[in-house]
Amino acid sequence: MVIFTSTLFLIFPIISAPVVVLAMLKYGKYRKFYGLLLAMILGMIMYHIDLTNLDIDLKVYYNYMNHYKFMNFIEMKDILLTQKEPITNFLFYIISLTGNFEIWQFVTTVINYFIIFYIFADYAKINQVDNKFYGLILITTIFWLNNIFLLTAIRNNVALTIYILVLYNEYIKKKKNFIYKLLYIVPVCIHMTLIIGVIIRILLNINLRKNKVILLFGLLIYAFSPNLIITISNLIGDLSLFSDLSLKTSYYTELTTSFNTNSIVHIVFLVLMIVLYYNIKRKNSREVQNTELYKATEVYLLFNLCSFNYWDIFYRWFDMSVILFAFILMDNISIIKKYMKFIILVMFLSILISCYIQFSNLQKLNIQKNIGQYCYKNVITIFNKEV
């Protein structure tokens, strides 16, 4: 199956997508490999999508690359050493040298989805989750995620998925040495707002049983005192790495959203995850296999809930909540089996609702446009933009 799928991918990567998905769900031994293929397929599709008509930062990225392509490495080195987000600027510089700026869309999409597919396959293997439950949890998770963010080359989401991978290595793979803690700086060097993740990671050192009231008090201050958060960000903003952090924080606090279907669904799903999390934790009579995972999940769920005054942050960290909650489900397959009918019903209804949300969001990408012209290209010619 690996040889057949790989060959089909090389010849017709887009057409191979359904086969790759079925193989990833059915053959657990090679899930990570199939996940890489599927992530590359999604990247190839996004490579051909014109995102510049959307209200996102891609035009700004292209402007950076247009500027960097005329620089030599010595000039670029000064920017890397003095300005914030050096990893992002380095990637912009490398891609600018190719003259093909759409590579950014391909690279970021591959990173986002491969990390998700990789950690799911790895944790399912650790917990010996069978194909049926793996497929059920993965499909539900993908439908719950903000795929419009994952697909549109936004730096924040690239930084967030890498942050999730770092957290996964520390809290699940138990890689505790200093180098893995240092890796939390990598997402900040891609997008500075991931300093939030560093702060939360520090908070995870707190003993929740002894200091739960203090933690909740801090989260309530964060939720209801945006001005205080802006003041703190102003102090941090004195460092060059976080030079416009206060500006970003002010922007996030000023963002408002009407209670449309999208926002209501996200809030309902988050509350549902929190309720189910505490029910699973209460019903779990055995010794919890990974108390650190439960602790991290609880903190991120509560942080996400308290971000309702910062809608941009709320939407982006919602994906973190979904992924960690999925790990909790994989850690408690026995409870899923016990309440199978109810959980299947909840997942099925949530997928139906998510289908509407995903369709409403993803139709902005107009993916179907020209797909007939590049879906028959092979893995090399598909990167020819003259379609």
Side-chain angles (χ1 to χ4, degrees), residues 129-170:
V129 178
D130 63 34
N131 293 340
K132 178 176 67 176
F133 288 104
Y134 168 78
L136 177 66
I137 295 171
L138 177 64
I139 290 171
T140 304
T141 300
I142 294 299
F143 272 99
W144 279 34
L145 293 175
N146 287 300
N147 289 287
I148 187 68
F149 294 151
L150 294 167
L151 291 167
T152 47
I154 300 172
R155 291 174 300 141
N156 183 280
N157 272 77
V158 179
L160 183 61
T161 52
I162 292 175
Y163 177 85
I164 292 171
L165 178 62
V166 176
L167 191 79
Y168 178 82
N169 277 316
E170 183 183 12

Side-chain angles (χ1 to χ4, degrees), residues 165-194:
L165 178 62
V166 176
L167 191 79
Y168 178 82
N169 277 316
E170 183 183 12
Y171 276 78
I172 294 178
K173 301 293 285 186
K174 302 297 183 181
K175 296 180 178 179
K176 297 288 188 178
N177 58 45
F178 178 73
I179 188 65
Y180 285 97
K181 290 180 171 59
L182 194 61
L183 288 175
Y184 283 101
I185 302 299
V186 172
V188 180
C189 292
I190 296 173
H191 198 280
M192 64 175 184
T193 56
L194 264 293

Side-chain angles (χ1 to χ4, degrees), residues 19-251:
V19 177
V20 172
V21 171
L22 289 174
M24 186 169 68
L25 296 177
K26 186 175 181 180
Y27 300 101
K29 186 177 180 180
Y30 300 102
R31 280 175 184 157
K32 296 172 186 175
F33 173 70
Y34 294 129
L36 175 61
L37 294 187
L38 184 56
M40 292 181 68
I41 291 168
L42 293 170
M44 291 172 185
I45 293 173
M46 296 317 299
Y47 176 83
H48 283 272
I49 302 300
D50 181 13
L51 302 177
T52 55
N53 61 335
L54 299 181
D55 185 22
I56 57 176
D57 292 339
L58 196 63
K59 292 179 182 177
V60 177
Y61 303 166
Y62 283 5
N63 287 336
Y64 280 128
M65 287 186 265
N66 264 320
H67 179 62
Y68 291 162
K69 71 180 180 181
F70 297 107
M71 291 185 174
N72 57 44
F73 183 74
I74 295 176
E75 293 172 316
M76 192 64 209
K77 183 183 71 174
D78 293 335
I79 292 177
L80 296 177
L81 293 175
T82 60
Q83 294 190 14
K84 60 186 176 61
E85 300 167 355
I87 294 178
T88 296
N89 286 322
F90 181 71
L91 288 174
F92 283 163
Y93 177 63
I94 295 299
I95 293 173
S96 73
L97 297 179
T98 70
N100 190 352
F101 299 165
E102 288 84 359
I103 290 176
W104 171 260
Q105 297 163 211
F106 169 77
V107 169
T108 54
T109 302
V110 172
I111 291 173
N112 286 335
Y113 281 96
F114 177 60
I115 287 176
I116 293 170
F117 296 147
Y118 170 84
I119 60 179
F120 267 72
D122 194 63
Y123 197 58
K125 182 179 180 181
I126 292 172
N127 276 34
Q128 298 181 330
V129 178
D130 63 34
N131 293 340
K132 178 176 67 176
F133 288 104
Y134 168 78
L136 177 66
I137 295 171
L138 177 64
I139 290 171
T140 304
T141 300
I142 294 299
F143 272 99
W144 279 34
L145 293 175
N146 287 300
N147 289 287
I148 187 68
F149 294 151
L150 294 167
L151 291 167
T152 47
I154 300 172
R155 291 174 300 141
N156 183 280
N157 272 77
V158 179
L160 183 61
T161 52
I162 292 175
Y163 177 85
I164 292 171
L165 178 62
V166 176
L167 191 79
Y168 178 82
N169 277 316
E170 183 183 12
Y171 276 78
I172 294 178
K173 301 293 285 186
K174 302 297 183 181
K175 296 180 178 179
K176 297 288 188 178
N177 58 45
F178 178 73
I179 188 65
Y180 285 97
K181 290 180 171 59
L182 194 61
L183 288 175
Y184 283 101
I185 302 299
V186 172
V188 180
C189 292
I190 296 173
H191 198 280
M192 64 175 184
T193 56
L194 264 293
I195 188 66
I196 294 172
V198 175
I199 294 171
I200 298 175
R201 170 59 190 84
I202 293 171
L203 290 176
L204 290 177
N205 290 324
I206 297 174
N207 187 317
L208 283 186
R209 290 185 178 179
K210 295 181 178 179
N211 302 286
K212 201 163 190 175
V213 174
I214 297 175
L215 178 63
L216 291 174
F217 181 70
L219 288 172
L220 289 174
I221 291 176
Y222 161 75
F224 295 103
S225 302
N227 290 333
L228 177 60
I229 302 302
I230 293 173
T231 301
I232 295 173
S233 65
N234 282 334
L235 296 175
I236 300 175
D238 290 337
L239 301 172
S240 60
L241 183 62
F242 313 116
S243 55
D244 60 347
L245 182 61
S246 60
L247 181 64
K248 288 282 188 181
T249 307
S250 299
Y251 171 72

Side-chain angles (χ1 to χ4, degrees), residues 312-324:
D312 202 61
I313 295 174
F314 178 92
Y315 282 132
R316 298 185 194 283
W317 285 85
F318 180 83
D319 289 354
M320 181 77 169
S321 296
V322 172
I323 290 172
L324 288 177

